[in-house]
Amino acid sequence: MRLPNPLAFELQDVAQNSALQRAQEAEAALREELREARGQLQHQAEDAKRAREADEAAVAAEASIMQDRLAQMHGGTWFDKVAFRRQVKQERFVRLSFDLQRIEWGQSQQGPLKVLPVAAIIRVDYGDASRSFRCFEFGRPGKPEPGFCLSISTPSRSLDLIAFSERDIEAWVLGLNEVVPYRPERQRFTAQEFLLRRSLLRLEFADGCGGSGDLDPENEDDAASAGTGAGSRGMSNACAGMEQMRNGMRRLMPRYRG
């Protein structure tokens, strides 16, 4: 009879224990991977939820702002209306009808009103692209700031307006984006683009580089003399900085066309 080999039994036990240990380690590693994957999925779900809530909040905030703009347009706004035939500015009360179908304006809130159908609007020009600003070019007196100018055009006429405040022009330019029917040839003007464009117009209109020539003629020689040396270099640096800012803003937002 053959006696059992103790060494063989011992080696077999060691192999079994080693295999069991490896299996347990593999199971633990798999559990850790599953735990990490579950944690990542949970984080992704939480991030997606926060992003969705942020988007919904942004949409709700924009909708609230849009309602405020429409409410202002319904309530009416005083503008200077440019009359091209008589080359004058006339103060007019302008409002959007509650059914969003007409832009109405007149000399008073209660008096007879003229009407421009919203469905007939083909262009909304803002700033230096508007007729209300361009009609004051070539040195004509009373030139307004371009950031306050707005022209609403149909195939047969245009309503050319100059606002009295930035709030009014913002409400009407951005409000008309939502009211006027979409046309492929008419670029929509987002709030960010409007703010960039208005800032650029403000820089371009401000005195400084390529100024508007507001110096008294009798003092032009003195001003030219004073512009030499350190003062001239400082002005040159300021002009260069403003030009860089303008160029950067132009790259962020192309020139607006109604």
Side-chain angles (χ1 to χ4, degrees), residues 129-177:
S130 64
R131 288 184 63 196
S132 53
F133 176 78
R134 293 201 307 268
C135 74
F136 289 95
E137 292 179 331
F138 309 111
R140 287 187 54 193
K143 184 176 182 180
E145 290 190 31
F148 289 83
C149 297
L150 167 68
S151 290
I152 307 168
S153 302
T154 70
S156 59
R157 69 167 304 160
S158 69
L159 180 59
D160 305 297
L161 306 171
I162 302 172
F164 292 108
S165 72
E166 291 186 342
R167 180 175 181 271
D168 292 341
I169 195 69
E170 179 178 339
W172 277 85
V173 171
L174 297 180
L176 287 172
N177 271 346

Side-chain angles (χ1 to χ4, degrees), residues 15 18 22 75 88 97 112 134 140 146 170 199 207 213 226 241 243 246:
S18 178
R22 286 197 300 271
V88 295
S97 63
R134 293 201 307 268
R140 287 187 54 193
E170 179 178 339
S199 298
D207 293 336
E243 186 62 26
R246 293 192 187 101

